Amino acid sequence: MTNPTAAMLVIGDEILSGRTREANAHHLAGRLGRAGIDLREIRVVPDDHAVIVDALNALRARHTHVFTSGGIGPTHDDITADAVAAAFGVGIDVRDDARADLQAAVGPGRTLTAEHLRMARIPHGAELIANRISGAPGFSVENVHVMAGVPSIFVAMLDALLPSLEAGLPVLSGELRFEVGEGRIAAPLRELAEAMPELSIGSYPFSDGAGYGTNIVVRGTDQAAIDRAIERLTAIRRSVG
């Protein structure tokens, strides 16, 4: 079985400028791995309509799912919804169910402002993604899932969305620490990777107060295969001291 694949498109000048630290990709990667969806690509783009459209069209053609983060708020630079509509060649307008979600969030008797209604503009044919934090929904158009950039809202939207998506086998992992540098173990690691192509074997050097070394992480969907790889890594660790 081959797991579905995914890409993430992070949208926002504030990320590229360093003004805001990006946190959603880390959360998404962990959740997708546990759900059996392989995150293969993360791309960051500015608040530029043409750039967003081009990136969306490239990513949605290559992956089972595309998750976006950012650009669906009430201000002039929140242009993601319009870019998604353009990428799919569909119209966009205020939708009654999105308006109702926002009305419920602000409370009965309060008039929705133009800024509220901007967040109720949804591309035609989209499915809403619930937002239990602020009420302003995300949405999915085919395999593109559009969510907020605010981390707490992104998390809430992902919680609402994930159970409905095509998924696969959870990605499992094992790890072993070596108290030697990568150069000492590069050759046996290469041999192990070639012998077990069904696994992903990553080498991550570190340096701490006690010295330096290498953490080896084995990832895959078969726990028995991971266990066999860890056994072989343990033997390699004994051989290098």
Side-chain angles (χ1 to χ4, degrees):
M1 176 180 177
T2 301
N3 279 354
T5 66
M8 183 178 188
L9 184 64
V10 181
I11 300 165
D13 293 341
E14 69 276 14
I15 303 297
L16 290 168
S17 70
R19 170 65 179 78
T20 299
R21 185 187 299 272
E22 209 293 313
N24 295 328
H26 179 265
H27 179 77
L28 180 68
R31 290 293 304 278
L32 292 185
R34 293 190 292 276
I37 300 172
D38 295 339
L39 183 61
R40 296 285 182 83
E41 192 171 350
I42 299 172
R43 190 180 297 192
V44 184
V45 296
D47 295 311
D48 182 299
H49 181 91
V51 173
I52 298 170
V53 171
D54 288 346
L56 280 171
N57 283 331
L59 295 173
R60 71 188 180 94
R62 289 202 295 271
H63 298 287
T64 314
H65 302 290
V66 178
F67 301 85
T68 79
S69 168
I72 58 172
T75 59
H76 71 283
D77 57 344
D78 288 314
I79 60 174
T80 300
D82 293 278
V84 172
F88 283 93
V90 299
I92 182 171
D93 207 345
V94 173
R95 214 165 83 177
D96 288 344
D97 50 357
R99 183 202 299 262
D101 285 350
L102 283 161
Q103 187 67 67
V106 302
R110 290 188 59 189
T111 300
L112 294 178
T113 66
E115 289 73 27
H116 288 126
L117 294 177
R118 181 172 172 80
M119 294 186 287
R121 296 172 67 251
I122 306 295
H124 296 173
E127 296 288 334
L128 297 188
I129 301 172
N131 170 6
R132 59 179 172 77
I133 304 296
S134 68
F139 56 86
S140 296
V141 182
E142 295 183 12
N143 65 332
V144 175
H145 313 292
V146 179
M147 296 182 288
V150 177
S152 61
I153 301 177
F154 181 91
V155 168
M157 288 183 175
L158 189 61
D159 287 344
L161 174 66
L162 265 184
S164 69
L165 298 185
E166 173 191 355
L169 296 174
V171 178
L172 311 170
S173 67
E175 183 173 341
L176 200 64
R177 177 182 171 116
F178 286 71
E179 302 297 337
V180 298
E182 287 183 299
R184 293 276 302 279
I185 56 176
L189 279 184
R190 181 170 56 252
E191 293 172 2
L192 178 59
E194 291 171 352
M196 306 188 76
E198 71 276 20
L199 299 177
S200 169
I201 300 175
S203 175
Y204 306 101
F206 66 85
S207 177
D208 57 27
Y212 68 93
T214 310
N215 287 316
I216 305 301
V217 178
V218 181
R219 301 175 74 243
T221 57
D222 184 341
Q223 185 63 57
I226 293 172
D227 292 343
R228 290 194 299 273
I230 294 296
E231 289 177 5
R232 293 184 60 172
L233 285 169
T234 301
I236 293 169
R237 185 170 65 178
R238 286 196 297 266
S239 72
V240 298

